[in-house]
Amino acid sequence: MRVALYFLFVILFLTSCSLNSEQEKSLSEATTNYLEARKKGAILAIVSMVHPDVVKAYRDQGDSIFVEKFTYAPEDHFLSDPVIKHVKKKGANIHVMYEVKAIEEAWGGTKKSLDPFIAISSDEGKSWFFVDRSDYVNKSIAKELDRLISLKE
């Protein structure tokens, strides 16, 4: 009996933390579009895909901070190989943490790092918005946003 309950718990846990095929497809398309916009430095496209609460937080800080936040230099910053690290669900809300390889050319050298960001859906995975990890952990940005994934600053 204990073994049966254990396996039932494991199955429930695994299914609660995974995405169905429609959610995966929607997330994949949104993530591809987001990364392409960042690679191209398309500020309007980037802003349209960032979580509205984050956009508002930076807009409230003034134009120069807003533009600085959402401006990416595509020739100096290449993103590749997104990997899902965490998936958390709560009701209709889904948060997915990605890590992406970031390759930057600076002063004749190459710097490689991981650039984490979170994809957020509030409609069971039909649509997605994105938040940089630094904004996700900073509770003064997007104060109303329920952070499902526990991350340290």
Side-chain angles (χ1 to χ4, degrees):
M1 179 68 173
R2 276 184 147 175
V3 173
L5 287 175
Y6 173 77
F7 282 113
L8 179 63
F9 174 75
V10 169
I11 290 170
L12 287 174
F13 176 77
L14 291 175
T15 58
S16 70
C17 293
S18 62
L19 303 174
N20 66 38
S21 62
E22 289 180 24
Q23 292 167 333
E24 285 181 10
K25 180 181 177 197
S26 174
L27 175 60
S28 177
E29 289 172 0
T31 302
T32 299
N33 291 337
Y34 177 66
L35 291 177
E36 280 300 312
R38 284 187 58 177
K39 287 176 188 177
K40 292 177 182 176
I43 191 169
L44 292 176
I46 294 166
V47 169
S48 73
M49 291 181 259
V50 170
H51 195 281
D53 292 347
V54 173
V55 172
K56 182 183 180 321
Y58 282 99
R59 185 167 285 145
D60 290 349
Q61 293 180 44
D63 290 343
S64 61
I65 291 174
F66 179 83
V67 170
E68 181 181 327
K69 169 63 182 172
F70 297 109
T71 300
Y72 297 91
E75 67 277 358
D76 296 332
H77 194 82
F78 180 74
L79 302 172
S80 66
D81 304 327
V83 176
I84 293 175
K85 290 298 191 179
H86 302 288
V87 177
K88 295 286 183 176
K89 293 181 182 180
K90 181 179 178 185
N93 297 308
I94 306 170
H95 291 201
V96 178
M97 182 179 162
Y98 274 101
E99 280 187 351
V100 178
K101 288 182 186 172
I103 302 169
E104 298 179 57
E105 299 290 333
W107 300 98
T110 301
K111 177 185 171 191
K112 296 180 182 179
S113 61
L114 294 177
D115 190 11
F117 63 91
I118 290 76
I120 298 175
S121 175
S122 58
D123 59 5
E124 297 182 344
K126 293 179 183 80
S127 62
W128 296 90
F129 290 104
F130 297 91
V131 178
D132 288 340
R133 183 193 186 283
S134 60
D135 294 329
Y136 192 84
V137 298
N138 183 350
K139 299 218 171 123
S140 67
I141 302 290
K143 296 175 186 175
E144 302 298 317
L145 181 64
D146 187 16
R147 279 121 170 121
L148 303 182
I149 299 173
S150 298
L151 300 173
K152 295 179 183 171
E153 286 188 54

